[in-house]
Amino acid sequence: MTTTSRLQDALATRAQVWGGWVVGPTVLGPEEFAQAGYGYVGFDVQHGYLSDADVALMLRRLEHVDIGTVVRLPGADTAAIGRVLDAGADGVVIAMVESAEQAAAAVAATRYAPRGVRSFGPLRASLGVDPGALEARTSVFAMIETARGLTALDDICAVDGLTGIYVGPADLAISLGYRPTDGFSEPTVRDAILRIHHTATAAGLVAGIHAGAGKFGNMMAQEGFQMITLASESQALRRGAAAHLAEAVGADPGDTPAAGGYR
C-alpha cells in the first residue's frame, strides 16, 4: 500500500508533467505513453468512448507501469467518482465546473465520512483498506472552461481539498465567443487562460491545461503550467501514421497534418 500516487510523486518532483490522453479502449496506448516518458495518462469518460469497465481494465494493466492516471468525468457524480477511484485512478478531472459548490461536491465525492460522501469499496488489493491513505492518494482537479467558471474562479480556487485547476481551452474559447481553435491564439482567451494559471498558482493549486498538441504544450509550459496534456492516442497514431506514409512516398514529414484536439 502507498500513501502517495504516481501522479502526486510526479507533480512533486517535476517542473512540467506531460500527459497523454485516451479516448477509446486500448491495451497499448497508455503503455506507449509511459514508454515515451509521459508522466500521466488521462482517460476520457466525458468525450471518449469508454465505459467504467474499460477504464477499470486499463487501470489494472497500468498497476505496475510507471505512469500516473486521471479520469475525466462529465460532472461531480458521487458514484462515478467513487468507481474510478476504487479501480485505482490517481485522480479525477471534473468537467464544466462553474461554482465553488460544484468543486466542493467533487472533493466530497473523494472523501469518506465525516468529511465527505464517498462509499468504501476499493477494488485493488494494492490500494489497501485504510480510508485515510485512500483519501491521501487522491487528486481532484476542477475544469475551468466557461465564462461562468471564469467569473467564479477565485471562489473555486478557495475550495478546501482541491488539488488543482485544469483548463479546457476549446470550451473556454467558445464560451467567450470565439472558435474552439482560438484558445491559444485569440488574445482574450489567452488572457483568460493566464488569469486562471495565476489565480490557481497563487492559491497553492496545480495549474493544468489540455494543450492538445506539442507546440501548444511548449507554449503553456513557458507560461508556467505544470500539468500539460499533449495529445490523445488517436492523435498520436494519426500523426505517426502520416509521418510514416510521407517518408515512404518521399514527401517531407514536416508536411504531415498536425493533430488538432483542444478538448
Side-chain angles (χ1 to χ4, degrees):
M1 181 189 69
T2 59
T3 56
T4 60
S5 69
R6 292 190 180 103
L7 178 63
Q8 290 170 337
D9 292 342
L11 289 170
T13 57
R14 305 183 197 177
Q16 268 78 45
V17 184
W18 308 106
W21 208 245
V22 171
V23 298
T26 170
V27 296
L28 296 177
E31 293 180 8
E32 291 298 330
F33 281 127
Q35 185 65 28
Y38 286 61
Y40 69 92
V41 62
F43 299 100
D44 198 341
V45 178
Q46 181 194 20
H47 289 299
Y49 300 100
L50 294 171
S51 68
D52 286 356
D54 295 325
V55 172
L57 288 172
M58 288 187 286
L59 288 171
R60 179 60 64 91
R61 283 185 60 90
L62 293 177
E63 186 171 3
H64 302 294
V65 177
D66 188 17
I67 192 167
T69 56
V70 295
V71 179
R72 178 163 69 174
L73 297 165
D77 179 81
T78 301
I81 291 173
R83 283 195 297 270
V84 297
L85 295 180
D86 288 342
D90 293 340
V92 290
V93 177
I94 307 302
M96 293 289 186
V97 173
E98 295 185 323
S99 69
E101 290 75 19
Q102 290 176 328
V107 172
T110 71
R111 305 292 193 262
Y112 300 103
R115 298 201 303 153
V117 295
R118 181 179 175 184
S119 179
F120 185 79
L123 296 175
R124 274 182 13 196
S126 60
L127 294 174
V129 295
D130 178 2
L134 291 169
E135 289 183 353
R137 73 177 306 278
T138 298
S139 298
V140 191
F141 300 89
M143 282 196 78
I144 303 296
E145 48 188 339
T146 66
R148 289 182 63 183
L150 194 61
T151 299
L153 178 61
D154 290 333
D155 291 337
I156 292 170
C157 287
V159 170
D160 185 43
L162 201 62
T163 304
I165 301 295
Y166 188 87
V167 182
D171 279 316
L172 183 60
I174 293 170
S175 184
L176 294 175
Y178 300 95
R179 298 174 302 173
T181 54
D182 288 339
F184 299 106
S185 58
E186 171 56 48
T188 300
V189 186
R190 279 286 301 276
D191 288 346
I193 289 172
L194 296 184
R195 178 188 159 197
I196 294 169
H197 168 266
H198 294 150
T199 304
T201 302
L205 302 178
V206 173
I209 191 164
H210 203 100
K215 64 179 180 179
F216 299 128
N218 178 267
M219 185 186 301
M220 292 299 99
Q222 296 300 318
E223 297 291 356
F225 278 89
Q226 184 184 14
M227 180 180 175
I228 305 171
T229 300
L230 300 180
S232 69
E233 87 284 26
S234 59
Q235 290 172 271
L237 175 61
R238 186 184 314 124
R239 183 171 183 173
H244 281 298
L245 181 59
E247 184 179 17
V249 300
D252 182 357
D255 294 334
T256 57
Y262 296 83
R263 302 182 190 186

